[in-house]
Amino acid sequence: MKNIRLGIIAVSTLLLASCGTNKMAVKDTEAALPTTTKNSKTDNVETTTKAIKTSSFAFVEKVNDRKVTADNIVADLTFSATMGDKDVSVPGSLHMRKDQMIRLQLFVPLIHTEVGRLEFTPDYVLVVDRLHKQYVKEDYNKLDFLRANGLDFYALQALFWNQLFLPGKKTVGEGDVSKFKADLSGAAQTVPVSLMSGSLSYLWNADRTSGQINDVKASYSSAQHGKSTLTMKYSKFKAVGTKAFPSYEELTFQTTATKKAQKVTMILDMDEPSTSSKWSLETTLPSKYKQIEATDIFSKLFSM
């Protein structure tokens, strides 16, 4: 049971991924590409700069076009987590419905009884600990830690769906592509795509040929809330609908925003992702379950 409890704790720390998706920086988002003004430089310099912008735009557009278009992604999986010197590996499942729900469930091995659940929707966050019959369900703005750091559901969705994102925006449209910068100057097969937004910085590494995102790093730095870094790595791509989706996702989160530095690594190793829509968005909890404050659950998680 200790391993299962660790799994619940590790799942809950996904809430802290908000540090990488701060809404308050949205108004400060600027195009990452340099601008060129007419001066004494030659027309060749202006032409070269324009060509760089064009090639960067085209590559970012290719990366953005690779996103999965299915409305649902469902998969059984093996959930693994590491926190300090503690490790856990339990069966689980992932259910995602575009723009509506991200649900991660953990089960007792062999008997397949649910012991933990984490749900993100555009309106609330739900963490269920069935072992102790307690839960947290709150609006994002009412969660102290999330309010301080800012969590955007759509950015978190993009992380799980292997897509580009802009903080505070639902999707990355064609008009947003120029806000990203692709560095095509090197000869490596991997091309870095970057975005700066206030105290936030994002870096996606995409395949030069296909535009497939192999990993992403989101960093947040604040004198008040410390430093946080979220890294998501993707592999084992499989066909989901007409596009490829990573059936292996490894999330590492580090932060100094809590009383002591924390690091957790979680792995979702999925079997065969499908586009099944035969599942409900509703979660019903027994009346005997106790609702607790988010600050209580965080204090318990990080005192362990």
Side-chain angles (χ1 to χ4, degrees):
M1 282 298 182
K2 288 184 178 179
N3 281 344
I4 295 173
R5 188 180 182 191
L6 172 60
I8 296 172
I9 292 171
V11 169
S12 299
T13 57
L14 276 173
L15 294 170
L16 304 185
S18 57
C19 295
T21 53
N22 198 308
K23 292 180 180 178
M24 64 184 179
V26 175
K27 62 181 179 181
D28 297 325
T29 304
E30 297 178 350
L33 295 172
T35 56
T36 303
T37 56
K38 289 189 176 181
N39 49 35
S40 59
K41 292 184 179 180
T42 65
D43 290 341
N44 286 338
V45 174
E46 292 183 354
T47 301
T48 300
T49 302
K50 187 174 182 179
I52 291 174
K53 286 184 178 182
T54 302
S55 59
S56 175
F57 183 94
F59 184 79
V60 175
E61 193 172 45
K62 176 166 66 174
V63 174
N64 195 42
D65 287 344
R66 281 192 60 90
K67 58 190 176 187
V68 173
T69 56
D71 289 330
N72 292 273
I73 296 179
V74 175
D76 291 328
L77 55 83
T78 298
F79 172 87
S80 303
T82 301
M83 295 180 67
D85 59 353
K86 300 177 181 178
D87 296 285
V88 63
S89 181
V90 295
S93 69
L94 180 67
H95 290 74
M96 300 193 293
R97 184 162 294 162
K98 187 168 290 183
D99 300 335
Q100 297 184 65
M101 172 77 73
I102 300 170
R103 176 187 292 156
L104 179 61
Q105 297 166 269
L106 300 184
F107 305 108
V108 177
L110 300 179
I111 63 176
H112 214 67
T113 300
E114 182 183 283
V115 291
R117 177 180 294 213
L118 172 65
E119 290 185 351
F120 287 101
T121 77
D123 301 318
Y124 65 83
V125 179
L126 173 67
V127 181
V128 181
D129 179 353
R130 295 196 184 276
L131 284 179
H132 302 93
K133 296 179 175 57
Q134 59 189 23
Y135 69 97
V136 171
K137 184 176 183 180
E138 286 286 6
D139 177 272
Y140 293 87
N141 294 327
K142 293 181 181 178
L143 297 172
D144 290 344
F145 191 91
L146 301 186
R147 184 173 63 247
N149 292 276
L151 186 146
D152 185 291
F153 167 79
Y154 298 103
L156 186 58
Q157 174 175 260
L159 285 171
F160 277 91
W161 286 65
N162 187 231
Q163 300 173 3
L164 295 174
F165 61 87
L166 277 169
K169 294 205 68 173
K170 187 174 180 178
T171 59
V172 175
E174 188 169 339
D176 300 313
V177 171
S178 61
K179 297 175 182 177
F180 299 82
K181 178 182 178 180
D183 184 0
L184 295 158
S185 60
Q189 187 60 26
T190 299
V191 174
V193 176
S194 59
L195 173 72
M196 295 296 297
S197 179
S199 300
L200 295 156
S201 64
Y202 304 92
L203 182 66
W204 293 264
N205 286 309
D207 184 83
R208 185 181 294 269
T209 303
S210 66
Q212 174 181 287
I213 297 173
N214 296 318
D215 61 79
V216 56
K217 181 178 181 180
S219 302
Y220 171 75
S221 180
S222 166
Q224 182 179 1
H225 303 300
K227 297 181 179 180
S228 300
T229 302
L230 182 151
T231 303
M232 181 80 93
K233 298 179 180 179
Y234 308 97
S235 61
K236 297 183 181 178
F237 284 81
K238 297 181 180 181
V240 173
T242 59
K243 301 294 179 69
F245 178 78
S247 64
Y248 186 95
E249 299 185 346
E250 179 180 320
L251 184 152
T252 299
F253 182 70
Q254 301 181 73
T255 183
T256 61
T258 50
K259 292 182 179 179
K260 62 179 180 178
Q262 299 289 339
K263 179 180 178 180
V264 58
T265 297
M266 287 173 284
I267 295 174
L268 307 182
D269 191 355
M270 307 173 214
D271 292 335
E272 293 294 334
S274 73
T275 59
S276 173
S277 61
K278 296 180 180 179
W279 58 281
S280 173
L281 295 172
E282 294 184 13
T283 293
T284 302
L285 298 176
S287 58
K288 61 184 177 181
Y289 276 44
K290 179 182 178 182
Q291 183 170 6
I292 63 175
E293 296 292 330
T295 51
D296 291 339
I297 199 168
F298 284 131
S299 64
K300 291 179 182 178
L301 295 177
F302 291 105
S303 65
M304 299 186 66

